[in-house]
Amino acid sequence: MILYDQLVGNKTADGTWSFVSGPSGAPAAPSDCDDDVDFSSADDGVYVYRYQVTSGSCTSLSTVTVTVGTANAAANDECDTATNI
């Protein structure tokens, strides 16, 4: 997964990614050399990464949350008018 694609707006040069929270053994945050984060062998859970850009005295922070695992079933998943998603 390319975490940059999850940010709103344009990619800003010179930003840095960091892992904020999630299960132990989380995939490494993106680096300058590799934008891709591989969640294929990650444990189920919610992973949070932060993108930080500092320009002069201003700092901009963006957060991306990735959920790995099965989603909760919809409330109407067993009725005749269930919606397949």
Side-chain angles (χ1 to χ4, degrees), residues 16-69:
T16 57
W17 283 100
S18 59
F19 174 71
V20 176
S21 65
S24 62
S31 67
D32 291 342
C33 301
D34 188 7
D35 288 349
D36 190 38
V37 178
D38 182 6
F39 289 94
S40 63
S41 61
D43 291 337
D44 289 357
V46 177
Y47 298 83
V48 180
Y49 294 85
R50 178 175 293 135
Y51 189 62
Q52 178 174 330
V53 177
T54 302
S55 178
S57 62
C58 295
T59 299
S60 173
L61 299 173
S62 298
T63 303
V64 173
T65 302
V66 177
T67 301
V68 175

Side-chain angles (χ1 to χ4, degrees), residues 74 76-85:
N76 71 342
D77 67 345
E78 295 188 24
C79 66
D80 290 338
T81 58
T83 304
N84 281 331
I85 45 178

Side-chain angles (χ1 to χ4, degrees), residues 7-20:
L7 294 173
V8 176
N10 297 324
K11 177 179 173 182
T12 304
D14 300 327
T16 57
W17 283 100
S18 59
F19 174 71
V20 176

